[in-house]
Amino acid sequence: MSVSEKLPVEHKNESLSVVSQIKNLISQDTVKKKFAEVLGKKAPQFMASITNVVAGSDQLKKCNPNTIMSASFVAATYDLPIDSNLGFAAIVPYNNSKYNPQTRQSEKRMEAQFQMMYKGFIQLAIRSGYYEKMNCSVVYKDELVSYNPITGEVDFVTDFSQCTQRMNGKSEDIAGYYAWFKLLTGFRKELFMTKAEVETHARKYSTAYRNDLNNNKKGSKWTTDFDAMALKTVIKLLLSKWGILSVDMQRAITDDQKTFDESGNEDYGDNKPDVIEAEDPFQTVEDTSDSQIDGEQTGEEIEEFDITE
């Protein structure tokens, strides 16, 4: 998505706060028109939420306003709210490294990143019309019977009335994170990751999380809301590897955690992701034909991510 073709650029103005620059941008008729094209009557409310999100974040107030607007517009194309408390999508500050050809050195720049959250992936899956049921959950130690990492099989207790750790909600009692779905065709798939597996994953793919751990900071969503990030990890991996991906879901996977500069260039600033092919091995020939007619695909690359990478 070339954001530069959709939104005007706010030239850097040191005398104006980022919030003021955002207000200036969303007051422009060209900007209003672009958001209205994707959101219709919901555009004014969504645009007002951009200002509210920035005003409520000290870190976003330090970001380039153009990257904030670009990330917000990406969220608008999915018709997902950007209030991170709702859990669908978020505009996240990211301390990106950019090469300065004049100084010939890399410089840190605060930019805004579009990030999908786990409810956003579930919402897009529901909209696709392929899924009958879906859920994800934190799993506590007294709820887990066994887990086979080779076969992927996981067993839970049948009588949850005897389980007390969920009620206490202590992080040390969490065994892992679980997601599953059932397609309308009847195909069902599940994914369980232990807390240690998710921790390893976060350390591998999130520079921000590693920096937090090394410097005793709380600048990453992995640090401030580990459970939400873990749930996003399992649902995104599950859907990407085994689900049927609509066009929007494919775009969401590739857009997740990208920044867009003033020229509309896309950048994934953190560790480069592994590639996982997403396909439905149980899809029939007839289903494939229908999907091609509708413009749907079942194959895509996945990155695994951070919510504040």
Side-chain angles (χ1 to χ4, degrees):
M1 175 181 296
S2 179
V3 180
S4 63
E5 298 176 359
K6 304 183 186 312
L7 296 174
V9 172
E10 174 77 6
H11 296 289
K12 189 173 183 181
N13 188 335
E14 299 291 352
S15 64
L16 290 177
S17 69
V18 171
V19 175
S20 296
Q21 292 180 67
I22 292 296
K23 289 181 178 179
N24 287 344
L25 278 169
I26 64 176
S27 67
Q28 296 181 25
D29 290 338
T30 51
V31 174
K32 293 178 181 178
K33 180 180 178 181
K34 293 300 181 184
F35 276 93
E37 287 175 354
V38 296
L39 291 173
K41 295 180 179 179
K42 292 183 284 186
Q45 180 180 356
F46 183 91
M47 295 174 70
S49 73
I50 301 174
T51 303
N52 293 335
V53 167
V54 176
S57 170
D58 291 337
Q59 292 300 312
L60 282 178
K61 291 175 184 176
K62 301 175 183 178
C63 291
N64 183 314
N66 299 310
T67 64
I68 295 173
M69 291 300 298
S70 297
S72 299
F73 187 77
V74 174
T77 63
Y78 296 108
D79 193 9
L80 293 173
I82 56 175
D83 183 345
S84 61
N85 294 320
L86 299 177
F88 291 93
I91 308 303
V92 178
Y94 179 62
N95 199 10
N96 207 356
S97 294
K98 295 285 187 178
Y99 178 74
N100 187 330
Q102 295 179 341
T103 62
R104 296 183 180 181
Q105 294 180 342
S106 292
E107 299 176 354
K108 291 289 187 179
R109 299 180 184 177
M110 289 296 290
E111 298 181 333
Q113 209 179 57
F114 164 75
Q115 292 198 5
M116 290 286 294
M117 300 178 77
Y118 77 93
K119 290 182 182 178
F121 282 113
I122 292 175
Q123 180 65 216
L124 294 183
I126 293 172
R127 293 178 192 172
S128 74
Y130 295 129
Y131 297 84
E132 180 180 333
K133 295 180 180 179
M134 178 183 299
N135 197 23
C136 59
S137 178
V138 175
V139 178
Y140 288 86
K141 294 176 182 177
D142 60 359
E143 299 169 341
L144 181 67
V145 175
S146 65
Y147 163 56
N148 186 327
I150 306 300
T151 65
E153 295 176 330
V154 57
D155 290 322
F156 301 108
V157 300
T158 55
D159 184 7
F160 282 85
S161 66
Q162 302 302 312
C163 302
T164 60
Q165 292 176 348
R166 180 177 294 273
M167 183 180 300
N168 295 330
K170 296 181 179 179
S171 61
E172 60 266 28
D173 292 330
I174 294 176
Y177 303 86
Y178 177 74
W180 68 276
F181 69 75
K182 181 181 179 182
L183 296 177
L184 293 175
T185 61
F187 173 63
R188 189 183 190 280
K189 191 65 180 178
E190 61 186 350
L191 175 64
F192 176 81
M193 294 179 70
T194 65
K195 190 173 183 179
E197 288 174 329
V198 174
E199 173 75 20
T200 299
H201 174 91
R203 288 174 178 269
K204 179 179 180 181
Y205 290 106
S206 175
T207 300
Y209 184 51
R210 291 197 303 273
N211 288 339
D212 279 359
L213 295 176
N214 294 335
N215 300 304
N216 194 27
K217 293 183 177 181
K218 294 184 178 181
S220 166
K221 193 73 174 178
W222 276 108
T223 306
T224 59
D225 198 351
F226 187 92
D227 289 349
M229 285 303 305
L231 291 174
K232 176 185 173 180
T233 300
V234 292
I235 196 69
K236 185 177 179 182
L237 282 173
L238 176 66
L239 290 173
S240 299
K241 188 172 184 179
W242 295 100
I244 298 179
L245 302 182
S246 66
V247 172
D248 274 353
M249 289 178 68
Q250 291 178 53
R251 285 200 305 113
I253 288 170
T254 57
D255 283 346
D256 187 28
Q257 293 159 253
K258 282 184 178 179
T259 58
F260 299 85
D261 64 17
E262 290 88 343
S263 300
N265 298 315
E266 303 173 355
D267 178 51
Y268 183 85
D270 214 330
N271 292 4
K272 298 305 178 184
D274 288 338
V275 175
I276 300 177
E277 293 184 357
E279 60 181 83
D280 176 13
F282 297 91
Q283 190 175 23
T284 65
V285 174
E286 289 77 15
D287 286 338
T288 301
S289 298
D290 291 340
S291 294
Q292 290 174 345
I293 291 173
D294 293 337
E296 305 292 341
Q297 303 262 343
T298 57
E300 184 54 50
E301 294 182 352
I302 177 178
E303 58 98 326
E304 256 314 304
F305 56 83
D306 175 6
I307 223 175
T308 51
E309 290 172 46

